[in-house]
């Protein structure tokens, strides 16, 4: 982490008494957002701004002009640690390069802040466990930005599975496939720690699978660099092994036309969800969260039964504002629920097992501490 923690923090007025400060009824939660790149600008700032209980007060960014153009009433600091420890902040949101997640989260928790970390949680399982333990000791909220739990595609498939539309699921396939044949000059595609498609899209794929099926027994994975000039993995394929069930998670940068977002086979039939959620495209187009048509998905489910008959079911609407609404609700309750932090640790366990599998060419069992086991 950059030095200067004391001077930067003092410049924004860090008070020792802020540690452990509770929220008063009706009080808006003061938010500091660290990072105003793609994720911070596209997702976090608009979604935070759409939740009445949250008040974005401070942004940490090396591009202050960009922040001020979008958010003229918000203060800007070039020092990320100062934002993480600022007295004027109750909740710190970390949307910085992946190798900075753990040190910034650790600084924020030490200063008594609630914390949201963009995915991936950390670079490895040991860091994730350490942060979860720190949040538990301090009674602070710690959540990872698993916003894809509120995507229309996932919500629609989850409902159909829960309703038993295709019977007991035996094969579950989830894809994040895109067509970006040119390697771009950005840290996510560079050779540094935490780069590559598995760290970028793998957390969403794994989190959704674990929400549906809990922790697997074993993980097998392959990672590859398929595009000319690729410096990090741009193709990932992982299989999660459960008794009587296989979950396939796939991400690629060379899939023109895409693939079905979900393909699920059960004992009574199959379902297909072709197109992905549109909220990211809406945000990029400047649509405000909650505007007319927000999260609406015209692409319904195809449900095939044993006789070959195809039924169609409308897709549920997505709404990623629910992530930050849940964060605000959790901060308002005492004591803070630590379930989400443990779920993030479980996701990290699967991500790390996949990396080890790809490196060794073997199927890898999951190691879990007693408090990380599924309920």
């Amino acid at each position: 982490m950059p030095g200067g923690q004391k001077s930067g923090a003092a410049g924004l007025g860090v008070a020792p008494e802020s540690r452990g400060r509770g929220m008063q009824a009706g009080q808006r939660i003061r938010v500091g957002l660290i990072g105003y790149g793609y994720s911070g600008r596209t997702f976090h700032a608009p979604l935070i701004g759409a939740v009445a209980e949250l008040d974005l007060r401070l942004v940490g960014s090396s591009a202050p002009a960009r922040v001020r153009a979008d958010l003229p009433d918000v203060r800007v600091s070039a020092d990320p640690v100062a934002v993480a420890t600022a007295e004027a902040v109750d909740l710190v949101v970390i949307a910085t390069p992946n190798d900075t997640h753990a040190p910034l989260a650790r600084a924020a928790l030490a200063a008594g802040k609630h914390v949201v970390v963009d995915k991936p949680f950390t670079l490895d399982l040991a860091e994730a466990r350490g942060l979860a333990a720190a949040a538990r000791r301090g009674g602070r909220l710690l959540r990872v930005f698993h916003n894809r739990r509120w995507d229309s595609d996932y919500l629609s498939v989850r409902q159909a599975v829960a309703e038993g539309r295709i019977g007991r699921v035996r094969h579950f396939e989830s894809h994040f496939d895109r067509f970006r044949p040119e390697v771009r000059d950005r840290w996510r595609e560079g050779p540094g720690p935490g780069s590559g498609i598995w760290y970028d899209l793998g957390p969403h794929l794994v989190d959704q699978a674990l929400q549906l099926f809990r922790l697997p027994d074993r993980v097998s994975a392959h990672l590859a660099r398929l595009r000319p000039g690729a410096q990090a993995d741009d193709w990932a394929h992982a299989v999660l092994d459960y008794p009587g069930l296989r979950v396939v998670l796939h991400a690629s940068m060379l899939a023109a036309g895409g693939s079905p977002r979900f393909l699920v086979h059960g004992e009574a039939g199959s379902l297909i969800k072709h197109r992905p959620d549109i909220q990211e495209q809406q945000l990029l187009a400047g649509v405000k969260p909650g505007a007319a048509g927000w999260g609406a998905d015209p692409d319904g489910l195809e449900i095939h039964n044993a006789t070959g008959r195809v039924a169609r079911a409308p897709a549920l609407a997505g709404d990623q504002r629910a992530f930050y609404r849940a964060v605000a609700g959790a901060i308002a309750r005492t004591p803070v629920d630590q379930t989400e932090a443990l779920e993030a640790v479980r996701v990290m366990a699967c991500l790390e097992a996949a990396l080890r599998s790809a490196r060794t060419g073997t199927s890898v069992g999951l190691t879990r501490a007693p408090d990380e086991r599924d309920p």
Side-chain angles (χ1 to χ4, degrees):
M1 280 305 304
Q5 177 172 350
K6 292 182 180 178
S7 60
L12 291 173
V14 177
E17 63 269 18
S18 68
R19 182 190 302 271
R21 178 177 52 222
M23 301 300 301
Q24 301 299 317
Q27 178 183 351
R28 295 182 74 196
I29 298 163
R30 301 169 301 172
V31 182
L33 169 61
I34 309 177
Y36 203 68
Y38 184 82
S39 183
R41 188 183 194 187
T42 305
F43 289 99
H44 292 281
L47 293 172
I48 291 167
V51 176
E53 295 86 352
L54 302 180
D55 180 11
L56 183 57
R57 291 282 190 89
L58 180 62
V59 172
S61 173
S62 59
R66 180 194 300 170
V67 179
R68 293 189 182 103
D70 294 344
L71 306 167
D73 297 327
V74 175
R75 295 173 63 196
V76 185
S77 171
D79 185 347
V81 177
V83 179
T85 57
E87 181 186 4
V89 164
D90 307 301
L91 168 65
V92 173
V93 176
I94 299 168
T96 53
N98 297 343
D99 59 343
T100 67
H101 288 183
L104 285 171
R106 196 176 302 116
L109 290 169
K113 310 303 179 184
H114 302 288
V115 177
V116 167
V117 185
D118 209 326
K119 52 75 193 169
F121 186 9
T122 59
L123 295 185
D124 59 49
L125 181 57
E127 283 185 335
R129 285 172 168 163
L131 290 179
R136 188 165 54 248
R137 287 193 302 269
R140 301 289 90 180
L141 175 97
L142 175 62
R143 292 195 176 181
V144 174
F145 189 54
H146 291 144
N147 56 314
R148 300 292 184 172
R149 294 182 186 183
W150 291 276
D151 278 3
S152 61
D153 46 32
Y154 169 71
L155 291 172
S156 301
V157 168
R158 186 183 71 174
Q159 177 176 276
V161 168
E163 291 174 350
R165 298 291 295 270
I166 58 171
R168 183 174 180 181
V169 174
R170 294 299 189 176
H171 175 103
F172 183 91
E173 199 162 323
S174 177
H175 284 247
F176 268 127
D177 291 334
R178 298 165 175 173
F179 190 63
R180 295 176 181 169
E182 301 295 329
V183 176
R184 293 188 285 181
D185 183 17
R186 58 178 193 158
W187 67 263
R188 296 179 191 276
E189 299 182 46
S195 63
I197 201 169
W198 184 241
Y199 272 121
D200 187 21
L201 298 177
H204 292 313
L205 294 167
V206 170
D207 180 63
Q208 289 178 342
L210 267 56
Q211 287 293 301
L212 287 171
F213 305 114
R214 304 292 186 177
L215 278 169
D217 294 330
R218 306 189 68 81
V219 177
S220 303
H222 297 275
L223 304 177
R225 302 177 186 180
L226 300 184
R227 295 176 299 171
Q231 300 182 72
D233 57 278
D234 56 13
W235 181 93
H237 187 89
V239 179
L240 312 186
D241 291 0
Y242 299 83
L245 168 68
R246 293 297 181 268
V247 171
V248 177
L249 308 178
H250 188 88
S252 172
M253 290 293 197
L254 288 175
S259 306
R261 176 67 182 86
F262 289 100
L263 179 63
V264 190
H265 302 303
E267 294 178 349
S270 299
L271 69 82
I272 303 172
K273 178 69 174 75
H274 286 282
R275 297 176 62 184
D277 178 271
I278 65 170
Q279 289 174 88
E280 182 173 358
Q281 284 66 43
Q282 288 182 314
L283 288 166
L284 287 170
V287 177
K288 299 294 185 183
W294 172 253
D297 189 344
D299 177 57
L301 300 179
E302 287 183 12
I303 302 174
H304 300 249
N305 68 13
T307 67
R309 180 175 174 270
V310 180
R312 300 187 183 275
L316 300 175
D319 192 351
Q320 293 180 16
R321 290 177 298 170
F323 174 85
Y324 275 112
R325 286 172 176 157
V327 166
I331 290 174
R333 292 188 292 272
T334 304
V336 171
D337 187 359
Q338 300 295 330
T339 301
E340 295 272 352
L342 290 176
E343 289 180 352
V345 170
R346 295 183 186 116
V347 170
M348 199 66 232
C350 285
L351 292 173
E352 186 172 280
L355 290 170
R356 193 160 66 250
S357 171
R359 186 172 60 250
T360 62
T362 62
S363 174
V364 174
L366 292 179
T367 58
R368 60 194 86 172
D371 64 348
E372 297 165 7
R373 293 171 186 161
D374 287 328

